[in-house]
């Protein structure tokens, strides 16, 4: 399966609290992976650290597992150390997976590590890789060194995701705010349909009624929530009619959480 097809059809828009590790299929790297696994799970509070293994899946399935890990893991760690099975070059599978990740994920989600090689410093790497932020380590992967970089990656994610949430918050109109307040905050993320959003009246600064929102305006506003990725739709047949309901996405739940944290009147 090609990555474009996978991300268009199977991307859920929600990341598990995992670290996905891309490194060569080599048993000699098992100890290195165990260090990454220990740091990720025990010291950095990740639920799991996953790594593809050549033995576990057929050739037809392994890329799907890799794409799933890239799409749905919180942090993606790529080991760009020289692989002497590849004439001392970076493993081509790792480079391919990194290319997929850079296409579909934010760079703040990606952590690059590399074993120091005095004969081949970063400046001598291919031009489209050497410009990335690569963290070099000594012969042995040190626990404290790795912990610092994983935690730094988590902090950067939190900072930029807060900026995205704030930007999204300021893109919601008054009807969308009403929907979020009525069916998100007050009702603990209750699903809703367009007719549910009724009785919203707009007043001026003196408290005088300007107009009452009509059903078409409600629908347009809810479609804006859909465009922002805050809600998603589901359809059902009922009494020979098609009914549409809206469900909060993972991102929508984060927006609601952001609004709760603000604690002001919106």
């Amino acid at each position: 399966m090609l990555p474009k097809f996978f991300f268009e059809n199977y991307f859920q828009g929600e990341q598990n609290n995992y670290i996905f590790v891309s490194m060569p299929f080599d048993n000699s790297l098992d100890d290195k992976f165990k260090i990454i696994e220990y740091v990720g799970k025990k010291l950095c509070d990740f639920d799991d650290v996953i790594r593809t293994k050549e033995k576990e899946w057929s050739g037809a399935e392994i890329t799907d597992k890799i794409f799933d890990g890239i799409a749905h893991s919180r942090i993606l760690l790529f080991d760009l150390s020289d692989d002497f099975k590849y004439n001392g070059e970076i493993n081509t599978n790792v480079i391919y997976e990194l290319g997929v990740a850079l296409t579909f994920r934010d760079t703040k989600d990606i952590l690059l590590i590399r074993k120091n090689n005095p004969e081949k410093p970063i400046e001598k790497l291919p031009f489209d890789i050497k410009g990335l932020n690569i963290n070099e380590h000594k012969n042995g992967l040190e626990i404290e060194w790795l912990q610092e970089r994983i935690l730094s990656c988590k902090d950067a994610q939190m900072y930029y995701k807060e900026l995205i949430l704030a930007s999204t918050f300021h893109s919601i109109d008054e009807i969308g705010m009403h929907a979020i307040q009525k069916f998100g905050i007050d009702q603990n993320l209750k699903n809703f349909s367009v007719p549910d959003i009724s009785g919203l009246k707009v007043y001026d600064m003196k408290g005088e009624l300007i107009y009452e929102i009509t059903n078409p305006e409600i629908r347009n506003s809810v479609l804006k929530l859909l465009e922002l990725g805050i809600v998603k739709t589901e359809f059902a047949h009922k009494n020979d009619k098609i009914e549409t309901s809206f469900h909060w996405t993972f991102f929508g739940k984060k927006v609601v959480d952001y609004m709760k944290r603000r604690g002001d009147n919106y």
Side-chain angles (χ1 to χ4, degrees):
M1 184 185 301
L2 293 174
K4 183 175 185 292
F5 181 85
F6 179 92
F7 279 83
E8 287 178 348
N9 293 276
Y10 299 106
F11 181 53
Q12 300 171 11
E14 177 178 349
Q15 275 79 47
N16 298 310
N17 190 35
Y18 297 167
I19 297 177
F20 170 79
V21 180
S22 175
M23 60 196 322
F25 300 124
D26 192 334
N27 292 335
S28 66
L29 295 174
D30 286 350
D31 289 341
K32 187 174 188 178
F33 175 75
K34 288 178 181 178
I35 293 174
I36 299 171
E37 185 178 38
Y38 171 79
V39 172
K41 294 171 69 173
K42 299 296 184 182
L43 302 182
C44 297
D45 296 324
F46 283 88
D47 295 332
D48 204 359
V49 178
I50 56 177
R51 171 193 178 191
T52 53
K53 292 186 178 180
E54 198 169 23
K55 300 176 183 177
E56 294 181 353
W57 305 292
S58 68
E61 295 176 320
I62 189 167
T63 53
D64 298 351
K65 295 288 185 180
I66 291 171
F67 297 156
D68 185 68
I70 291 172
H72 301 122
S73 299
R74 180 174 175 184
I75 286 180
L76 314 176
L77 188 152
F78 294 86
D79 187 354
L80 300 180
S81 302
D82 294 320
D83 186 351
F84 290 97
K85 289 185 177 180
Y86 283 82
N87 298 318
E89 302 292 336
I90 301 173
N91 185 280
T92 53
N93 291 325
V94 175
I95 292 178
Y96 172 72
E97 292 163 20
L98 174 59
V100 172
L102 289 170
T103 302
F104 295 102
R105 294 291 300 273
D106 194 283
T107 54
K108 302 298 182 296
D109 301 331
I110 298 172
L111 178 61
L112 307 178
I113 66 171
R114 172 178 167 81
K115 180 180 177 181
N116 178 269
N117 183 356
E119 297 181 1
K120 188 183 294 183
I122 291 177
E123 292 74 19
K124 292 187 178 181
L125 296 179
F127 77 95
D128 51 354
I129 293 179
K130 67 183 180 182
L132 301 174
N133 183 22
I134 302 174
N135 299 274
E136 284 192 304
H137 64 85
K138 300 176 182 177
N139 288 338
L141 186 58
E142 297 179 353
I143 289 175
E144 294 80 5
W145 181 92
L146 182 61
Q147 180 186 11
E148 179 183 351
R149 279 149 184 81
I150 291 177
L151 291 177
S152 177
C153 189
K154 287 180 68 174
D155 289 343
Q157 284 183 326
M158 290 298 297
Y159 173 75
Y160 283 97
K161 285 178 180 178
E162 282 292 304
L163 293 181
I164 292 171
L165 291 173
S167 175
T168 302
F169 171 79
H170 292 293
S171 300
I172 303 170
D173 62 22
E174 69 274 15
I175 306 176
M177 289 292 184
H178 180 69
I180 292 174
Q181 190 170 27
K182 185 175 181 180
F183 300 102
I185 294 177
D186 295 343
Q187 298 295 325
N188 195 24
L189 298 175
K190 176 184 175 183
N191 300 325
F192 64 93
S193 59
V194 166
D196 292 334
I197 309 174
S198 59
L200 177 61
K201 298 178 181 180
V202 179
Y203 298 88
D204 61 17
M205 296 297 292
K206 297 179 180 179
E208 296 180 359
L209 179 65
I210 301 175
Y211 66 94
E212 187 168 355
I213 301 300
T214 63
N215 209 19
E217 291 173 307
I218 292 172
R219 181 173 293 278
N220 290 337
S221 184
V222 173
L223 289 176
K224 177 66 174 179
L225 296 179
L226 189 68
E227 180 185 339
L228 290 170
I230 294 174
V231 297
K232 59 184 177 181
T233 57
E234 288 193 8
F235 302 91
H237 286 274
K238 188 176 181 180
N239 299 326
D240 296 326
K241 295 181 179 179
I242 296 178
E243 292 191 355
T244 305
S245 63
F246 294 88
H247 299 254
W248 304 101
T249 63
F250 175 78
F251 177 66
K253 294 175 183 178
K254 295 297 182 184
V255 172
V256 171
D257 289 341
Y258 174 82
M259 293 175 67
K260 288 180 180 179
R261 293 199 306 273
R262 282 177 60 94
D264 56 2
N265 294 321
Y266 31 77

